[in-house]
Amino acid sequence: MATPEEAKLETFLQWLQPNGVELRGCKIKHCDSRKGFGIFSDKDVSDGVLLAVPLDLAITPMRVLQDPLLGPACRSMFEEGHVDDRLLMMLLLTVERLRENSLWKPYLDMLPTTFHNPLWFSDDELQALRGTTLYRATELQKKSLVSLYETKVKDLVKKLLTLDGASEIEVRYEDFLWANSVFWSRALNIPMPRSYVFPEMQEGEAQEIKHDIKITKSYNFLSGDQVKQSENRKKEMMCTTTQGDTVWVEGLVPGIDFCNHDLKPIATWEVDGTGSTTGVPCCMYLQSAAPSPLQIDQEISISYGNKGNEELLYLYGFVIDDNTDDYLMVHYPAEALNTISFSESKSQLLEVQKAEMRCLLPKALLEQGFFPLGNRSKGENNDGKVDQVPNYSWSGQRKTPSYVNKLVFPEKFMTTLRTIAMQEDELYKVSSMLEELVGPEGGRELSDTDVQAAIWEVCGDSGAFEILVDLLRVK
């Protein structure tokens, strides 16, 4: 007798075939309860193409707007600015999960019903993260998602279900949380052919299209940017949709999205716009990147990107032992600026100097601690690049705090902390110096390096260390 997982997989494979999906050198099978399903080598293929999925099967904003049942209502919501493209896809996932006769059911049944990211943690589990950036990001995101659900999503989902005559179905927050986790853990940033996205438009018309589609899948969770509500994120996240003959669109690609992550991936996904590589026009395909033929039943992994364990846990719900891409993130929360003395004046200085409110320290950089044996060269940041340094000094010699080149922390980040720590007399001296530089007629516009130079001129080595210790202390 088939297990539940085997029955789901068989139904899914029967759904893939009439939708044009070709499993050429691979198979899908269940790994375990935590990893779910994965993709494994099935046979050797000469061209290395393991799997081909037509882009028509992808869940994208265009697919939602073209849906025969939900499309008209979603288009109206979209054009009126009530939802953005990401929320469109989450609404579709939420609604289709609740519909008993959903055409997407074979695919949705294959997806996890719960997730291991911190949004799904119990209160006790979440307390284990207390004192970390991940804890703060999770708390903010949970509040944001609950608010978004109560003020917008719940009513929109009910409205869409009514179109299917299913108004009696109960809509729960957990359904939306599930859709949010599905999107962020599985969506890809797909480079689609312009002719596929705008099949009936001339180039000029495509340039003028108003409902933009996001280019980048951004996980800026470390600064908490993603926790803003959908309507507040819209202006920040929207960007140009076209690059030459390519339009970048976020979406879920059934089949491809069952590839798991590995630090040493053996495959990549590509888009074949013309069919010249796969024989399937406008498809996404899985290409072997292994230097030798794959072993039968070998799991086919891809890379989710160079992500540290904090980001991997936040997005995907797993961490990697000895992750070479791991890092320590030190972040001064922007909302804390409102609680410091002379916050308005300091905020203006931070804005002009283009202050860095956070820094990422790669794991390899911390092998010798915060005071490495081999100090960085003067003006060099953590990427090995040289920062622009001020060439103006009121005393005739550029003053830089003695700690700058003895720490692994970037110079600009330490200058940010020193700005925040300034006392009243220091703030007055810095302001006077900058007024002198601008001149009585205001003929010169201050640059970020001007402000940094003034702060270095006035301030000693104290202040920034105290803030740094507080940021590093686990509460």
Side-chain angles (χ1 to χ4, degrees), residues 93-382:
L93 290 167
T94 305
V95 171
E96 296 298 338
R97 186 191 197 202
L98 295 172
R99 291 177 63 196
E100 293 183 2
N101 58 343
S102 172
L103 296 177
W104 295 96
K105 182 175 173 56
Y107 169 60
L108 300 182
D109 284 348
M110 289 280 289
L111 304 182
T113 55
T114 60
F115 290 81
H116 302 288
N117 67 60
L119 292 174
W120 294 76
F121 280 13
S122 66
D123 291 341
D124 289 342
E125 290 171 332
L126 195 57
Q127 286 303 310
L129 298 176
R130 194 171 185 86
T132 67
T133 303
L134 183 55
Y135 176 84
R136 172 179 170 273
T138 302
E139 286 286 278
L140 290 173
Q141 179 71 322
K142 287 175 69 175
K143 292 178 181 179
S144 176
L145 288 175
V146 169
S147 175
L148 182 59
Y149 172 77
E150 292 293 345
T151 60
K152 179 176 292 189
V153 171
K154 185 176 183 179
D155 289 340
L156 292 179
V157 171
K158 285 184 175 180
K159 177 181 177 180
L160 294 174
L161 285 171
T162 301
L163 298 175
D164 192 34
S167 57
E168 75 285 352
I169 294 180
E170 180 186 3
V171 182
R172 304 172 304 151
Y173 167 72
E174 288 73 17
D175 297 315
F176 174 58
L177 177 61
W178 173 86
N180 177 82
S181 296
V182 167
F183 174 82
W184 283 105
S185 63
R186 308 183 83 87
L188 300 172
N189 192 31
I190 310 168
M192 292 188 171
R194 176 201 289 265
S195 59
Y196 177 82
V197 179
F198 307 118
E200 298 178 357
M201 290 186 179
Q202 299 299 318
E203 182 171 343
E205 293 176 307
Q207 294 277 2
E208 295 173 2
I209 191 165
K210 298 302 182 185
H211 45 276
D212 293 322
I213 299 166
K214 292 185 181 67
I215 278 184
T216 306
K217 184 178 180 182
S218 172
Y219 310 118
N220 195 20
F221 79 95
L222 297 172
S223 64
D225 288 346
Q226 87 301 336
V227 304
K228 298 178 183 177
Q229 293 185 12
S230 173
E231 58 267 37
N232 294 331
R233 289 178 4 200
K234 188 172 183 179
K235 291 182 181 179
E236 300 172 356
M237 304 301 295
M238 293 295 180
C239 50
T240 305
T241 64
T242 58
Q243 293 180 346
D245 293 328
T246 300
V247 181
W248 293 81
V249 181
E250 288 179 329
L252 283 69
V253 185
I256 298 286
D257 62 348
F258 288 107
C259 282
N260 291 311
H261 171 73
D262 198 284
L263 292 176
K264 296 179 179 179
I266 60 174
T268 61
W269 59 261
E270 308 285 347
V271 170
D272 184 4
T274 63
S276 59
T277 301
T278 63
V280 182
C282 294
C283 77
M284 178 179 286
Y285 64 97
L286 196 61
Q287 176 74 50
S288 173
S292 57
L294 300 176
Q295 298 179 3
I296 301 301
D297 231 24
Q298 179 179 355
E299 183 168 9
I300 298 171
S301 58
I302 61 173
S303 171
Y304 292 177
N306 300 327
K307 294 177 171 60
N309 279 340
E310 202 168 20
E311 191 171 3
L312 288 174
L313 181 59
Y314 184 80
L315 292 171
Y316 306 106
F318 66 84
V319 296
I320 297 176
D321 293 336
D322 300 320
N323 185 354
T324 54
D325 293 320
D326 214 359
Y327 54 79
L328 171 69
M329 202 287 295
V330 183
H331 172 241
Y332 189 91
E335 60 269 21
L337 290 176
N338 297 325
T339 66
I340 64 176
S341 59
F342 309 103
S343 60
E344 185 174 349
S345 297
K346 291 178 180 178
S347 294
Q348 291 175 356
L349 289 175
L350 291 170
E351 181 179 356
V352 176
Q353 69 179 271
K354 301 175 182 176
E356 293 182 358
M357 303 296 289
R358 66 172 188 168
C359 67
L360 299 178
L361 304 176
K363 180 180 179 180
L365 190 67
L366 298 174
E367 291 179 352
Q368 303 297 331
F370 295 122
F371 292 87
L373 296 177
N375 294 333
R376 293 181 288 119
S377 300
K378 196 171 186 179
E380 184 178 285
N381 62 28
N382 289 335

